[in-house]
Amino acid sequence: MSKQILSIEDLSYRYPKTAEFSLHDVSLRISEGEFVAVMGSTGAGKTTLCLALNGIVPHFYGGDFFGSVRVGAMDTVDHPTHELARQVGMVFQDIDMQLTAPTVASEVAFPLENLCFPVDEINRRVSAALEALRLKGLEEKHPHQLSGGQKQRLAIAAALAIRPTLLVLDEPTSQLDPVGAEEVFRVTRRLNQDHGITVIMVSHASEELAEYADRIVLLSRGRLEADKPPSDFFQDIDFLLEHGVRPPAVTAAFSCAFRGSSFPGRYPVTLAEALEQRASVLSKLEAGSTSASIADGPVHSDEIVIRTRDLHFSYEDGTEALRGLSVDIRRGDYVAIVGQNGAGKSTLIRHFVGLLNPSSGAVEVFDRNTQDYDVSTIAQRVGYVSQNPDNQIFTDSVRSEVGYALLRLGMPKDQVAARVEQSLEELDLGDVAGMHPVTLSKADRSRVVIAAILAMKPEILIFDEPTTGQDYQGSKAILELTRELWRAGKTIIVVTHHLYLLPGFAERLLVMGKGRLLSDSNLRSGLYATATLEETYLNPPQLVRFVESFGDEALEKSQPLTPDELALTMAAD
Amino acid sequence: MPSMYIERISRPSLFSRLDVRVKLFIMFLASTLIFVWESVIYQCAMFLVALGLALSAHIGPRYIRRLVITMIPFMLLVLLIHGLFNPQGQRVIASVPEWVPLLGGRVSLYWEGLVFGGMVLFRILTPLLVLPLVVMTTDVNDLMLGLVKIRVPYKVAYVFSVGLRFVPFIFSEISTITEAQRLRGLAIEKMGFIKRIPVFASLAVPLILGALVKAQTLEIALQSKAFSGSAQRTFTNDFRMRRIDYLALASGVVLFFGAILTRVLLNWGAFVS
Amino acid sequence: MSTVQRGTRRQITGGGGAKIGGAPISYVAVFTAIVAALAFIPASIVIGSAGGGWPLHDAIHPLVGLVLGPIAGPIASIVGILIGNAIAPYTSLGPWSFVMGGMSAFAVAMVTQKNRSAWLLPWVIVAALHVVYYFQATNFGISPGMWFSNAFAVTLGLILIAIPTVRKFYTTHLRDQSLGWRLGVALYIPFFFGSVAGMQALWVPSFATNPWPAEVWPVLVPIILLERTIFPLIGTLIALGVIAGLRRSSIAKPDMASY
């Protein structure tokens, strides 16, 4: 048994001025060299738990603290944060705010300087940490000049240079694109396996955690509900969903397919394990029909609402973001646009509302060239919901926020009021109409922004990365909302990295790479065009990879996208 | 929109290698000596020295041209106003002809006024040039340590460094917020001045609130990095005054007191035209 | 909560983190960056500025003082302006603009402190600068009447703040948790004073650098008055929104904040 380095005993904690406890009777022990994942929905207490490990909770916040947290031999209540910082390296979700120094090298040196290490030692460690995180050669760069993945690796390098007993990562990938997220998972795993660094990682990425973690801890409303190795942790799917945790796609698929029947052993939690279960799947396939065709979305009109012709765009610095792109969006479409960062997705949709004007080629919205009218005019017919709700909320109550722009556009007051009420109702915000937006959750603030944009009655709605930074339930809720709006007749365009969330929502998939349109098809064939997806550094959903690696022609032909569909293909007994 | 960073001049030069404290002293000289002299020649000489330093420190002519060109309307205004109205004015260069109604024969451009205006321009340009000169040729960490060495509290020096770090971030916040306003159908550029005020105000509100929420995150990150605000820490970039620094400092001090003494006792640098 | 905690309750010493004048250093840094960034956004084009127009940060300093207090506030304002000047000197109000921001923030923070005599310090400083400016101007041939019509806004600010009832009015309503027009007025008065205090502090070194001849002064009268009315107004509108959000959010309040 290796050395125990963290022990939490009956930890309960409540922030000042709040009634509820954020952590309740949590006990947890972690030994040297372990990779422990923490899962749970937003508000489950995951971040509070992380902050308790280096004493930010309770030293910075105050509040009521019960029980104890010991890192090595240090009790976190008896030692100030700057002493605990020598033992616990922290990496946060916010990739911008945690980098505080003007250059990459000084970022890594900063905590070491604070801890009064000698200069030679600091230089050695900075160099080693940058080497380990593959950031050599970027020493003099400003953090703002790095990509998201590089920023997060820099944060890890800075945490690592202290040579902490424990490396804590709080949702390190939730603001990253798939490439960046993979970088972070890869280095974290390498640090854990090759260098024996003990890791605690909070994440929603079930597939990755199933592969990397030694143990997964489930927090729900401040209580520790489970603490098991991944192969056990993901077995009880209903239990997980109840606590807001999404199981890996293969696990869900197997559980769906074999529901009620006796499955030999346990459901697989990784792709490799799932493929090992080939025999049991095959027997099911033979028993069932192979022609499960699931109808795609309703037929839409032929009216083209957005049309781009040979669209080129270059930024001022010369970066060519779009290189000859022609696409038609028809009324009633539900389009998802995917691609790696820098593929040109945002550049494209910004042309749809006139935020950018083509360098050459043309964009027509409702048969008019976008260059002929300005953003504020287009915005009344094309709603654009950008990523961070906090940058889009201008007033001090939900109700006034929804009516904010309408009043300033000179609409009569009673008409505004009617629109506002309708919009509030559509988004189920009636109960909070009088509240200040800052008091709502992030998911609800997003709804406020959507309500405000809906109040203008746009015919097209564009969502830029609506699921980034949201947990599973939050993401689902927003996508369900888009589906309702689509059913109500709006044309929907969603830009996202989260391919696995799309089935059941989008019906058309545009795949972009390096400023070009790589494919334009229905969602099903789009997600199964795995070569195209990989060309733009997107991982196909786990279920698709499973079907592809499985090597059964009939199964491949039916192209299932959801666990239910896969189960259907495999047919019940 | 101007560049969001302080452009760093990485090419070494005599000036950029000077000790930060010496550079700060030069900044002090540039912002005090301008008050000592009223002579356009002295002021011009000082500006030329600053310009020479800037060019020798490889500050791009493009940067300097932009500084000067952007200020041309202001400079013309200063010259014109002082040329016309400065009480020093005696020798008439040109007058408004008699036949012009109202102004005819009453308004003239005076040589001494123009000279005074010129002196004013150099007075303004010199410190405006020296501040970026010092900052652009100095590593931010060195600047911070230099400030600490001249007894500026470490926390304040640190505010400079971390504030600088977040300027580009605030910029991108501002642009997403203004964009969000346009996406709500608000066209600021089409609004009149009165209507524009509340819209400006509503830009700043999410900016500041959002930034304060982020500041909490920053606070947590800083504490996690063992930051305590104490100057009792290692500075990996520690430096010492070299002979050339002492030399530069000594000549600066001589210049400073020399200028004041000669001005008071010998009236050097008085107004001339 | 009826449930009992299993662990034993721990005594927390609290605190931690670096503060400047009671404000967490991170807040100061973030406001510094905001001031620096706003330095690029011109709000109006007037004679007083060096090049591109009067930067918007002028409106924000009173709020910086109100939120961060009399020590951290001026530091954020001064450092922010210096950063702005270093990045783009041609958009600045000239080399002395940091004096204005610093004084604005300081004056507002002091006249809104709980301590009843704190207002006196900025008041005395501004009054002294006011007198200095008088002699600067009259020595250059500006008539006392012309000086007064120009510096009238500052005189008005000094008088307003000297009246105990006025101070009592705004301090009471600032501490009152309600929002609305009363809070607006309660903010506007100290903001106006902060605005003119900053202006007065800027005038002294500016006049020493560039003394405008008497003929220009009449033109400046309406501009100065308009600006000193409008900027605190923008500041007040911003402050109302910010305070409404701050009071309802979990953002910790700096020790010397006045909201």
Side-chain angles (χ1 to χ4, degrees):
Chain A
M1 187 71 203
S2 47
K3 200 172 88 188
Q4 179 173 304
I5 56 173
L6 173 72
S7 112
I8 301 175
E9 301 290 344
D10 293 330
L11 168 63
S12 294
Y13 177 73
R14 178 165 59 183
Y15 287 97
K17 291 189 278 182
T18 42
E20 298 280 322
F21 273 79
S22 295
L23 292 174
H24 205 112
D25 294 342
V26 172
S27 295
L28 182 67
R29 282 156 196 227
I30 291 177
S31 304
E32 194 167 25
E34 278 194 292
F35 187 135
V36 177
V38 180
M39 300 192 80
S41 56
T42 304
K46 306 185 297 295
T47 296
T48 310
L49 182 66
C50 290
L51 296 179
L53 300 181
N54 72 348
I56 301 258
V57 161
H59 295 303
F60 175 60
Y61 285 105
D64 303 314
F65 189 98
F66 298 83
S68 70
V69 177
R70 297 178 75 84
V71 179
M74 292 164 97
D75 186 295
T76 57
V77 176
D78 301 334
H79 293 267
T81 299
H82 62 261
E83 277 176 33
L84 291 160
R86 199 184 272 260
Q87 303 295 327
V88 183
M90 293 283 244
V91 176
F92 300 97
Q93 175 178 13
D94 192 318
I95 52 179
D96 283 306
M97 297 313 281
Q98 62 181 320
L99 303 180
T100 55
T103 63
V104 167
S106 55
E107 182 66 46
V108 182
F110 181 70
L112 300 172
E113 291 178 315
N114 292 335
L115 290 167
C116 301
F117 279 94
V119 175
D120 294 344
E121 179 68 17
I122 294 179
N123 290 336
R124 248 196 317 276
R125 287 190 180 201
V126 168
S127 169
L130 290 177
E131 183 84 56
L133 276 297
R134 307 223 166 100
L135 291 164
K136 277 271 168 196
L138 301 173
E139 285 84 350
E140 295 308 313
K141 288 266 187 220
H142 189 281
H144 206 71
Q145 294 166 299
L146 304 181
S147 74
Q150 286 174 329
K151 282 183 196 172
Q152 204 56 295
R153 278 188 286 147
L154 175 56
I156 297 177
L160 201 66
I162 312 171
R163 310 231 166 111
T165 324
L166 189 60
L167 180 64
V168 181
L169 304 103
D170 186 3
E171 297 201 38
T173 61
S174 71
Q175 291 188 0
L176 301 180
D177 66 330
V179 182
E182 209 182 300
E183 282 172 19
V184 168
F185 275 116
R186 248 200 336 256
V187 300
T188 311
R189 193 225 253 310
R190 214 184 56 235
L191 293 173
N192 174 251
Q193 295 197 331
D194 303 353
H195 302 261
I197 290 166
T198 314
V199 173
I200 295 185
M201 183 192 265
V202 174
S203 175
H204 297 299
S206 309
E207 282 86 359
E208 283 82 356
L209 294 183
E211 247 174 79
Y212 299 157
D214 296 316
R215 276 155 63 200
I216 303 181
V217 169
L218 173 66
L219 280 180
S220 184
R221 291 199 206 128
R223 289 177 188 272
L224 196 146
E225 299 286 353
D227 176 1
K228 296 172 183 168
S231 52
D232 292 335
F233 181 86
F234 288 118
Q235 293 302 316
D236 190 348
I237 294 196
D238 294 331
F239 171 78
L240 292 178
L241 288 175
E242 194 184 306
H243 292 290
V245 169
R246 183 182 59 87
V250 286
T251 317
F254 270 69
S255 136
C256 241
F258 293 92
R259 178 161 290 153
S261 69
S262 54
F263 183 73
R266 291 187 298 187
Y267 298 132
V269 297
T270 65
L271 187 60
E273 284 176 30
L275 290 169
E276 277 168 27
Q277 305 284 352
R278 200 162 184 276
S280 56
V281 175
L282 270 180
S283 67
K284 274 279 220 184
L285 277 173
E286 277 148 24
S289 78
T290 50
S291 58
S293 74
I294 300 119
D296 283 307
V299 186
H300 33 69
S301 87
D302 286 335
E303 184 193 344
I304 290 170
V305 285
I306 297 177
R307 180 203 306 266
T308 77
R309 282 294 163 259
D310 194 28
L311 177 58
H312 285 264
F313 182 80
S314 300
Y315 284 98
E316 268 176 31
D317 63 4
T319 320
E320 238 188 313
L322 295 176
R323 309 161 186 238
L325 200 130
S326 301
V327 68
D328 292 335
I329 311 281
R330 288 175 297 272
R331 187 180 290 280
D333 269 356
Y334 188 135
V335 188
I337 303 179
V338 300
Q340 92 258 38
N341 263 13
K345 308 182 298 286
S346 294
T347 312
L348 177 65
I349 54 171
R350 294 160 78 78
H351 276 86
F352 293 168
V353 274
L355 282 173
L356 293 175
N357 280 321
S359 306
S360 76
V363 180
E364 284 173 16
V365 175
F366 298 111
D367 291 325
R368 278 182 61 185
N369 194 315
T370 52
Q371 275 169 296
D372 297 342
Y373 44 167
D374 58 32
V375 180
S376 44
T377 317
I378 304 176
Q380 294 174 45
R381 294 186 75 185
V382 184
Y384 180 112
V385 184
S386 45
Q387 216 180 91
N388 182 358
D390 297 329
N391 287 338
Q392 307 169 64
I393 291 180
F394 307 105
T395 70
D396 54 12
S397 87
V398 171
R399 181 175 278 112
S400 63
E401 186 61 37
V402 176
Y404 168 76
L406 298 178
L407 281 175
R408 278 175 180 71
L409 289 171
M411 188 182 281
K413 272 200 173 133
D414 50 333
Q415 209 176 327
V416 172
R419 289 251 192 129
V420 168
E421 290 314 314
Q422 190 192 348
S423 214
L424 288 173
E425 196 179 316
E426 276 172 355
L427 284 165
D428 213 11
L429 289 166
D431 294 342
V432 296
M435 285 169 71
H436 195 291
V438 297
T439 58
L440 304 178
S441 71
K442 187 176 176 190
D444 282 342
R445 289 202 297 278
S446 300
R447 297 172 85 83
V448 173
V449 172
I450 297 171
I453 285 168
L454 269 186
M456 294 194 288
K457 298 202 180 289
E459 292 147 80
I460 304 173
L461 276 159
I462 301 175
F463 295 86
D464 190 1
E465 300 279 0
T467 55
T468 296
Q470 303 267 11
D471 65 357
Y472 181 55
Q473 286 163 321
S475 303
K476 273 274 187 229
I478 287 183
L479 286 171
E480 265 152 29
L481 177 67
T482 62
R483 186 169 53 191
E484 276 166 41
L485 293 167
W486 176 58
R487 288 197 177 130
K490 310 271 187 207
T491 305
I492 305 285
I493 300 171
V494 173
V495 168
T496 184
H497 297 305
H498 295 146
L499 299 185
Y500 61 87
L501 285 170
L502 291 175
F505 300 105
E507 43 142 32
R508 183 176 165 197
L509 188 71
L510 302 183
V511 183
M512 291 185 66
K514 292 181 185 149
R516 290 202 174 84
L517 189 60
L518 300 180
S519 86
D520 175 1
S521 62
N522 66 32
L523 183 71
R524 193 174 298 282
S525 26
L527 289 183
Y528 271 88
T530 48
T532 313
L533 293 177
E534 274 155 16
E535 193 181 325
T536 186
Y537 304 101
L538 288 176
N539 269 331
Q542 194 181 35
L543 202 76
V544 172
R545 280 190 288 155
F546 170 72
V547 171
E548 287 221 321
S549 322
F550 194 78
D552 182 275
E553 214 172 288
L555 182 62
E556 248 172 78
K557 223 167 132 189
S558 69
Q559 299 189 331
L561 287 181
T562 62
D564 285 313
E565 285 181 4
L566 182 68
L568 212 66
T569 325
M570 288 155 78
D573 301 60
Chain B
M1 179 120 322
S3 156
M4 305 171 297
Y5 311 100
I6 290 182
E7 293 171 48
R8 261 287 274 135
I9 309 293
S10 43
R11 259 171 82 189
S13 64
L14 184 64
F15 183 82
S16 72
R17 275 194 296 259
L18 284 178
D19 190 282
V20 183
R21 286 161 283 185
V22 177
K23 292 184 193 172
L24 291 171
F25 185 67
I26 290 173
M27 218 162 90
F28 168 77
L29 282 183
S31 41
T32 47
L33 283 183
I34 54 166
F35 291 119
V36 176
W37 298 316
E38 284 192 346
S39 153
V40 70
I41 296 161
Y42 279 64
Q43 295 286 356
C44 178
M46 188 153 81
F47 176 72
L48 289 177
V49 170
L51 190 66
L53 283 178
L55 291 174
S56 81
H58 310 296
I59 291 200
R62 235 183 74 213
Y63 182 90
I64 294 164
R65 210 179 307 139
R66 186 151 84 174
L67 170 63
V68 174
I69 287 178
T70 330
M71 289 186 61
I72 279 179
F74 173 72
M75 296 200 280
L76 287 178
L77 195 74
V78 168
L79 281 178
L80 190 70
I81 287 176
H82 282 289
L84 294 175
F85 305 125
N86 193 289
Q88 304 275 9
Q90 286 176 4
R91 267 179 289 166
V92 175
I93 302 173
S95 294
V96 179
E98 293 285 345
W99 48 265
V100 178
L102 285 170
L103 300 177
R106 291 194 206 169
V107 177
S108 305
L109 197 63
Y110 297 93
W111 169 248
E112 291 79 4
L114 274 184
V115 170
F116 191 94
M119 187 228 14
V120 164
L121 288 186
F122 291 124
R123 264 185 179 172
I124 293 174
L125 283 173
T126 306
L128 274 189
L129 181 62
V130 172
L131 174 67
L133 166 67
V134 168
V135 178
M136 285 163 86
T137 56
T138 312
D139 182 273
V140 180
N141 291 313
D142 292 348
L143 192 57
M144 199 159 63
L145 182 55
L147 289 169
V148 171
K149 283 181 189 252
I150 59 166
R151 303 290 157 85
V152 172
Y154 171 64
K155 288 191 238 181
V156 176
Y158 186 70
V159 162
F160 179 84
S161 154
V162 79
L164 194 58
R165 150 82 185 90
F166 287 112
V167 173
F169 171 75
I170 298 291
F171 258 115
S172 58
E173 294 284 287
I174 291 177
S175 76
T176 43
I177 295 168
T178 37
E179 208 163 74
Q181 289 189 322
R182 291 166 78 201
L183 290 168
R184 293 274 197 95
L186 300 180
I188 298 181
E189 57 279 5
K190 282 196 217 156
M191 288 180 179
F193 183 66
I194 298 298
K195 263 195 164 172
R196 212 182 264 206
I197 292 175
V199 179
F200 260 136
S202 61
L203 181 153
V205 173
L207 177 72
I208 293 172
L209 279 178
L212 279 171
V213 173
K214 296 275 187 183
Q216 297 262 82
T217 317
L218 173 60
E219 184 66 37
I220 290 168
L222 283 177
Q223 293 197 24
S224 302
K225 290 169 195 281
F227 178 80
S228 62
S230 155
Q232 291 300 312
R233 70 195 289 278
T234 311
F235 289 94
T236 41
N237 53 331
D238 203 3
F239 45 75
R240 280 168 192 220
M241 296 274 282
R242 292 166 305 151
R243 189 177 298 161
I244 179 128
D245 297 315
Y246 283 114
L247 204 67
L249 195 63
S251 11
V253 173
V254 169
L255 177 66
F256 182 70
F257 289 106
I260 294 176
L261 285 176
T262 50
R263 178 78 170 92
V264 174
L265 300 175
L266 307 171
N267 212 17
W268 288 9
F271 182 77
V272 285
S273 57
Chain C
M1 292 267 299
S2 54
T3 33
V4 182
Q5 281 61 51
R6 250 189 268 150
T8 45
R9 191 187 189 97
R10 304 290 297 271
Q11 207 58 43
I12 301 162
T13 40
K19 289 185 171 184
I20 296 179
I25 204 165
S26 53
Y27 290 23
V28 188
V30 162
F31 268 104
T32 301
I34 291 176
V35 169
L38 288 182
F40 298 106
I41 302 180
S44 77
I45 310 285
V46 280
I47 292 169
S49 68
W54 202 267
L56 190 59
H57 70 73
D58 190 359
I60 219 85
H61 300 294
L63 176 63
V64 176
L66 190 84
V67 173
L68 295 181
I71 299 164
I75 288 175
S77 287
I78 291 171
V79 178
I81 294 174
L82 286 176
I83 290 175
N85 283 5
I87 298 177
Y90 36 82
T91 59
S92 79
L93 291 171
W96 311 114
S97 45
F98 67 91
V99 175
M100 178 165 84
M103 180 51 109
S104 263
F106 176 70
V108 171
M110 288 299 271
V111 302
T112 54
Q113 283 298 302
K114 268 201 186 103
N115 181 331
R116 285 205 186 150
S117 42
W119 66 276
L120 216 67
L121 185 57
W123 194 89
V124 169
I125 295 173
V126 175
L129 290 170
H130 206 42
V131 174
V132 170
Y133 187 47
Y134 175 81
F135 286 110
Q136 271 180 306
T138 45
N139 280 344
F140 193 69
I142 311 292
S143 73
M146 184 51 71
W147 175 85
F148 180 74
S149 65
N150 223 264
F152 168 68
V154 183
T155 319
L156 181 67
L158 284 168
I159 293 172
L160 263 179
I161 295 299
I163 303 171
T165 357
V166 173
R167 287 199 313 273
K168 192 165 188 312
F169 170 79
Y170 67 72
T171 42
T172 317
H173 287 291
L174 273 178
R175 312 228 185 286
D176 182 5
Q177 284 300 300
S178 67
L179 299 159
W181 71 269
R182 276 210 180 82
L183 179 62
V185 180
L187 283 167
Y188 186 79
I189 298 168
F191 278 22
F192 174 75
F193 178 67
S195 186
V196 294
M199 181 90 262
Q200 178 58 77
L202 175 64
W203 272 340
V204 171
S206 288
F207 195 82
T209 320
N210 176 27
W212 287 123
E215 283 81 354
V216 185
W217 285 56
V219 185
L220 292 174
V221 171
I223 295 177
I224 291 169
L225 214 55
L226 193 69
E227 264 180 12
R228 292 309 113 191
T229 326
I230 299 277
F231 277 111
L233 184 67
I234 300 177
T236 303
L237 287 174
I238 297 171
L240 280 172
V242 170
I243 290 175
L246 280 179
R247 282 185 181 168
R248 286 189 180 85
S249 74
S250 58
I251 298 168
K253 185 173 154 181
D255 299 345
M256 293 174 95
S258 309
Y259 63 85

